[in-house]
Amino acid sequence: MLNAIHRELKGELTDFGGWEMPLWYSTGSVKEHLYVIEKSGVFDIGHMDLLRVKGKEAFNLIQLCLTRNISKLGVGACGYSMILNEQGHVVDDTIVYNLGKDNLGKDEYILIVNAAMGPAVQRHLEQHNVFQDVTVTDESGCFSKIDLQGPASVAIIKRLLEKGRGTIEGLRYFQFRGDYSNPVSEIAFDGNIPILLSRTGYTGEVGFEIIMPYGKTLDVWNMILDAGGSDVIPCGLAARDSLRVGAVLPLSHQDIGNWPFVHTPWDFALPRDKEGKFTKDFIGSGIYDNPLSSYTYPFCGFDPRKTETHGTSVLWEEAPIGTVSTCAIDMAIGRMEGKIYSVASPDKPASFKPKGLVCGFVRVERPLEPGAKVTLKDSRRSIEVEIVSDIRPNRTARVGI
Amino acid sequence: MKSFEELDIRDDLFYAQTHEWVKKTGGNARIGVDDYAQSSLGDVVYVELPSMGTAVTAGASFGSLESTKAVSDVNSPVTGKIVAVNEALSDNPDLVNTSPYEDGWIIEVEMADSKELDALMKSDAYLAFLKTLDPVD
């Protein structure tokens, strides 16, 4: 739908799971990355898939197939979760939305899954469906998704809401309003465009994901750019990737995939109580039954130099201990006197000017502590990086709006 | 990246197939990467610079450009010794994008044999070569 726009804006296009997507626009990925942290950026995320799970037993099927304990997920809330197979390997990651009951009294949930993963996740859910009244519908082709991320997004969204059709007042991180497929959705954009608006995103910054009827994609894209003026620029996949790494979020099939989902920075997607025990059974809940074989950690380097993402070894005390799953540059951060600052850090030194730092994830065969130094080695170079517990400081995702 | 018509390929320079340009100044050769290279790379965020006095060989790499997309070698189109390095690129690597032929130059080489320039392309030959690489928009 937006392909012509991407060309007109001089997008550097690439193939992404069968979709032609912009890597960056004419402003370049560095400026796009910084814009999302300081003002806002708009992303065409129409390639994601959407499944609607509906029925009296929708809760049971989702509770069985997702790692998240959704008994605590209220109506109007959404949550990040993994979908594992029986071996505890990741099928996909997802955000699950609890829409509550429809007018027939049936529970309704939406799962947003990764590009081209709709059919595979639908198959996975159907294979494990031992319940009576529940259907899984792939709504790919019916909807589109545009993300607006960054501190200026709040004011831009407010300008676009149709009068009397909803508000974002009090909307908290991981809450949503409305349903794009409901013509009388409780929240709509100008021109009576029903939307599902969630306060979520993949950048680590305050922002929104907007799901709209497919035919309204171009209208919404243009409305955002008009309403945002100089506070918003279109951003491509490269900025999305570098922003998400700085926010310590995984990329499907790259940082999470067909290997045991244990000892990762995303353990928070597992349903643990205060003692660390699982609060429910789910497909893959025996993930600790097999011998542990890998540990995933975020790392951050000391300058912007990066290695290849694929085929790079991780060395510890000169011995190979694993591989790099993601290697990118967060252009908004830099180190001064041993500490990482971001352009958004309120305590940054007056002379701070970020040059960017290499960052990403390693998958290694032994545990490492934050502060440990490892070497990334590809065919071209060796660089020393530090294992860290977080990457870009002072992210704004959770600020009050 | 830029379309073929938008490319700035200058007449007073020599070009290598690996997209470096050379400007002859007396017996020295000033070297950088051209508009095609900077436009294909995307934003350059780090330049790995060689040291003064390093010997370079025609066709061999002397440094690299780090863009948000990839790491690319920069080759010297001529043989000789490095007599100047553009230190401004350490703090402002984006000069390679914004001013590839002027402020974004990378090194200057004292040429061992200026006849090596004859093996490089002039702008018209280089433009014809670029046409064979990329479909024209």
Side-chain angles (χ1 to χ4, degrees):
Chain A
M1 172 61 78
L2 292 173
N3 194 269
I5 291 268
H6 298 326
R7 289 180 180 280
E8 194 182 307
L9 291 168
K10 296 192 181 300
E12 178 84 9
L13 300 175
T14 188
D15 178 74
F16 187 81
W19 294 75
E20 198 176 43
M21 298 285 293
L23 268 178
W24 53 74
Y25 298 90
S26 57
T27 39
S29 59
V30 170
K31 194 170 174 195
E32 292 170 15
H33 182 115
L34 292 168
Y35 233 79
V36 170
I37 292 168
E38 297 183 307
K39 293 178 179 176
S40 76
V42 61
F43 299 80
D44 167 21
I45 308 292
H47 56 283
M48 301 294 274
D49 280 354
L50 185 154
L51 300 174
R52 194 177 292 259
V53 186
K54 211 168 163 175
K56 286 198 170 119
E57 293 198 87
F59 169 87
N60 292 335
L61 180 60
I62 293 176
Q63 183 72 326
L64 176 66
C65 291
L66 266 56
T67 58
R68 190 180 191 90
N69 192 338
I70 61 159
S71 64
K72 293 169 187 161
L73 189 77
V75 176
C78 46
Y80 181 76
S81 180
M82 295 292 166
I83 301 168
L84 305 182
N85 64 19
E86 287 86 347
Q87 290 75 43
H89 302 179
V90 178
V91 176
D92 203 11
D93 61 346
T94 183
I95 292 188
V96 52
Y97 296 75
N98 181 358
L99 282 84
K101 292 192 190 305
D102 70 0
N103 44 19
L104 300 171
K106 296 188 173 188
D107 284 330
E108 203 170 343
Y109 292 87
I110 280 175
L111 302 181
I112 302 285
V113 298
N114 281 288
M117 288 304 291
V121 176
Q122 183 177 25
R123 255 194 326 275
H124 180 81
L125 293 176
E126 283 169 350
Q127 269 166 16
H128 293 98
N129 185 13
V130 291
F131 307 103
Q132 296 302 314
D133 179 7
V134 53
T135 56
V136 182
T137 315
D138 186 344
E139 294 189 0
S140 304
C142 305
F143 78 99
S144 192
K145 183 166 161 304
I146 290 173
D147 294 353
L148 179 62
Q149 300 276 300
S153 64
V154 178
I156 297 170
I157 293 285
K158 281 181 181 166
R159 272 174 234 151
L160 293 177
L161 293 177
E162 178 142 314
K163 279 206 177 67
R165 289 288 296 278
T167 165
I168 55 168
E169 202 79 9
L171 190 68
R172 294 208 304 269
Y173 193 40
F174 277 99
Q175 287 186 336
F176 73 97
R177 287 174 188 159
D179 181 357
Y180 83 97
S181 70
N182 180 358
V184 292
S185 171
E186 64 168 290
I187 192 160
F189 274 165
D190 261 344
N192 200 20
I193 302 171
I195 54 169
L196 186 160
L197 183 75
S198 65
R199 198 183 149 188
T200 48
Y202 199 54
T203 61
E205 304 303 323
V206 60
F208 302 88
E209 296 184 80
I210 307 153
I211 301 171
M212 71 221 79
Y214 182 75
K216 296 294 181 186
T217 319
L218 198 53
D219 291 345
V220 171
W221 179 266
N222 288 328
M223 283 162 69
I224 290 170
L225 288 175
D226 286 347
S230 62
D231 281 344
V232 64
I233 57 170
C235 298
L237 288 173
R240 185 169 180 252
D241 196 49
S242 53
L243 286 158
R244 67 98 188 166
V245 179
V248 200
L249 297 168
L251 189 62
S252 182
H253 299 101
Q254 190 166 310
D255 303 307
I256 48 175
N258 196 24
W259 53 88
F261 182 70
V262 288
H263 290 307
T264 70
W266 312 291
D267 264 11
F268 62 78
L270 296 174
R272 289 211 172 89
D273 62 16
K274 281 178 187 150
E275 278 88 51
K277 289 188 186 128
F278 288 164
T279 57
K280 66 163 190 176
D281 282 331
F282 55 94
I283 303 293
S285 54
I287 51 178
Y288 288 97
D289 293 350
N290 298 316
L292 300 182
S293 59
S294 70
Y295 303 75
T296 300
Y297 297 107
F299 70 83
C300 188
F302 299 89
D303 63 41
R305 285 176 306 156
K306 59 184 180 298
T307 62
E308 301 291 331
T309 289
H310 304 288
T312 296
S313 312
V314 179
L315 309 178
W316 193 69
E317 293 178 348
E318 294 179 13
I321 56 163
T323 54
V324 170
S325 60
T326 277
C327 193
I329 308 167
D330 190 323
M331 287 307 301
I333 60 175
R335 288 183 187 255
M336 280 186 89
E337 288 159 17
K339 191 176 166 197
I340 302 173
Y341 293 95
S342 140
V343 286
S345 296
D347 58 341
K348 64 180 188 281
S351 62
F352 178 74
K353 186 183 168 226
K355 285 188 180 175
L357 295 173
V358 63
C359 54
F361 302 107
V362 290
R363 202 163 82 248
V364 293
E365 62 200 27
R366 53 160 296 150
L368 296 168
E369 293 295 325
K373 305 272 180 24
V374 294
T375 302
L376 312 184
K377 184 176 167 50
D378 69 5
S379 58
R380 182 189 302 269
R381 57 167 59 136
S382 293
I383 55 172
E384 188 180 66
V385 299
E386 181 186 17
I387 301 298
V388 293
S389 48
D390 199 8
I391 300 176
R392 189 171 69 249
N394 304 105
R395 298 193 296 273
T396 58
R398 294 168 190 277
V399 299
I401 60 169
Chain B
M1 65 176 295
K2 289 184 176 179
S3 69
F4 189 72
E5 286 74 17
E6 291 169 308
L7 285 177
D8 177 12
I9 299 301
R10 303 204 171 168
D11 290 338
D12 57 337
L13 305 173
F14 297 92
Y15 297 88
Q17 286 201 352
T18 45
H19 312 299
E20 292 86 7
W21 56 260
V22 176
K23 185 171 188 173
K24 189 170 179 296
T25 49
N28 288 353
R30 182 170 270 209
I31 295 164
V33 299
D34 69 5
D35 197 30
Y36 176 90
Q38 74 77 18
S39 150
S40 328
L41 280 171
D43 292 344
V44 173
V45 296
Y46 192 89
V47 183
E48 225 163 20
L49 291 167
S51 318
M52 287 276 282
T54 309
V56 291
T57 311
S61 151
F62 67 82
S64 68
L65 297 179
E66 188 95 36
S67 76
T68 51
K69 185 178 176 181
V71 191
S72 304
D73 283 328
V74 194
N75 299 326
S76 177
V78 294
T79 304
K81 190 176 82 177
I82 298 176
V83 291
V85 173
N86 186 2
E87 298 291 349
L89 297 178
S90 303
D91 277 338
N92 299 96
D94 58 321
L95 290 173
V96 173
N97 295 113
T98 55
S99 178
Y101 300 113
E102 275 112 20
D103 299 340
W105 67 277
I106 303 173
I107 56 168
E108 221 167 271
V109 172
E110 190 181 273
M111 287 185 281
D113 178 4
S114 63
K115 284 200 185 108
E116 276 183 347
L117 295 176
D118 298 342
L120 301 173
M121 289 175 274
K122 294 283 194 55
S123 59
D124 47 354
Y126 184 59
L127 278 166
F129 167 70
L130 289 182
K131 256 187 182 163
T132 66
L133 300 183
D134 222 35
V136 176
D137 282 348

